[in-house]
Amino acid sequence: MGLIASLPEIDKQDDAVFVMHEKSEKLIPLHKHAKGQLSYVEGGLAYITTLNKTYVVPARHYFWIPQGMMHELEVGSYGTLRSLYFYATDDHCNDFYGKFGIYPASELLIQMINYTECWDSMHVCRDDNNFEFLVALKKLLPTLNKVSLPIMLPKTNHPLMLQITKYLEENVGNRLVISEVAKRFALSERSFSRLFQSTLHISFLQYVKTLRMITAMELILKTHMPISDVAYAVGYSAVGPFSDAFYDFTLSRPSDFRKN
């Protein structure tokens, strides 16, 4: 049974953990559930879209989606998503469980999540001998990482901003200067900056930097381009500054990101 077909099953047992290791379906439409979702991205990239933002989760990272959060989920080619849907009865015990977050996965967490494949497409209940293993896994999460990775692009339906963001995507490897881009769309630099803040709640420079990092992650994972070529392809004239910016976003150097 695939994840789409399994969506109604997730909330059927409030105090259980539902296990789903998805290898086939790549797009799960907008939905929500009454349980918290822990998902590990084993390969490629995963994209999580909420009502106004798109988050990018690289391979060997995991994310937590709190109960009740509407989201759409897309998994890139060759990716596997290993997911555990946890009871929410103790979520009040730690702030971690009430916030969406993206984090690098430790070897311990990876091994624990992989082990749960033996319960694929099953509910693990409190009277099951394996339940305490899942309890320990959930309690471990708040201790592993304190800061979520800032890999997110805001979304908007504003007609002009849609044109601007499309232009930026198509020219991500070129020199992008705010005054020149603003002029291209017949706006003053001041009005252009205000438009970004009012519709996307992010600055032009931060949007461009994030777009470049997401594009770089895709190139590193989907192609065999040398890291230097990836840097140039996303608008950096030298590998050093690109590597530093990439580390800020992923806590990994580009070469390590590809190797892992």
Side-chain angles (χ1 to χ4, degrees):
M1 183 184 294
L3 180 54
I4 295 176
S6 297
L7 290 178
E9 294 290 323
I10 294 173
D11 291 334
K12 280 190 174 179
Q13 299 188 42
D14 293 343
D15 59 350
V17 180
F18 185 70
V19 181
M20 172 57 68
H21 291 253
E22 181 57 63
K23 302 180 181 66
S24 56
E25 291 167 340
K26 300 304 178 184
L27 179 61
I28 295 90
L30 197 66
H31 66 284
K32 65 178 180 179
H33 31 76
K35 292 183 177 179
Q37 178 180 347
L38 165 67
S39 290
Y40 169 60
V41 181
E42 192 167 70
L45 296 170
Y47 303 87
I48 304 163
T49 301
T50 62
L51 297 179
N52 58 0
K53 297 175 183 177
T54 295
Y55 299 87
V56 182
V57 189
R60 294 183 65 84
H61 285 67
Y62 69 94
F63 58 87
W64 176 266
I65 297 178
Q67 62 166 331
M69 180 179 176
M70 291 291 297
H71 62 282
E72 178 184 278
L73 183 58
E74 181 177 0
V75 184
S77 301
Y78 310 111
T80 295
L81 196 67
R82 302 184 181 275
S83 300
L84 304 173
Y85 298 86
F86 282 94
Y87 51 88
T89 51
D90 63 349
D91 282 4
H92 63 280
C93 295
N94 196 295
D95 291 342
F96 173 91
Y97 304 118
K99 300 180 293 185
F100 175 85
I102 301 168
Y103 311 94
S106 66
E107 287 298 329
L108 172 62
L109 184 64
I110 293 171
Q111 292 301 320
M112 292 181 75
I113 292 175
N114 286 346
Y115 181 76
T116 67
E117 189 167 10
C118 59
W119 308 312
D120 192 18
S121 302
M122 294 173 54
H123 289 279
V124 181
C125 304
R126 291 187 180 274
D127 57 358
D128 191 300
N129 291 334
N130 302 304
F131 189 75
E132 289 304 318
F133 176 87
L134 296 171
V135 171
L137 198 163
K138 184 180 181 183
K139 289 182 176 180
L140 179 67
L141 296 177
T143 70
L144 294 176
N145 306 99
K146 302 300 183 183
V147 180
S148 175
L149 297 181
I151 311 175
M152 177 273 294
L153 275 180
K155 294 181 64 179
T156 179
N157 292 320
H158 190 283
L160 179 55
M161 185 54 74
L162 288 174
Q163 295 179 42
I164 295 171
T165 54
K166 181 180 179 182
Y167 173 81
L168 296 176
E169 290 171 7
E170 293 173 347
N171 293 273
V172 68
N174 298 329
R175 182 172 176 267
L176 294 170
V177 180
I178 186 169
S179 58
E180 296 176 1
V181 179
K183 184 177 181 181
R184 182 181 183 86
F185 289 92
L187 293 172
S188 67
E189 185 175 334
R190 183 182 180 88
S191 296
F192 187 80
S193 295
R194 284 180 173 175
L195 180 63
F196 257 85
Q197 290 290 352
S198 63
T199 59
L200 299 181
H201 309 290
I202 191 175
S203 71
F204 169 79
L205 292 177
Q206 188 63 28
Y207 185 91
V208 169
K209 182 178 181 180
T210 304
L211 178 62
R212 284 175 167 158
M213 292 302 102
I214 292 173
T215 305
M217 285 190 289
E218 292 175 340
L219 290 174
I220 290 171
L221 291 175
K222 296 179 181 180
T223 74
H224 298 289
M225 291 174 61
I227 299 301
S228 57
D229 290 354
V230 172
Y232 301 142
V234 296
Y236 284 80
S237 58
V239 175
F242 165 70
S243 180
D244 290 342
F246 193 88
Y247 185 85
D248 288 342
F249 270 75
T250 66
L251 301 181
S252 175
R253 294 294 176 184
S255 56
D256 294 331
F257 186 77
R258 170 171 283 167
K259 180 172 62 177
N260 289 334

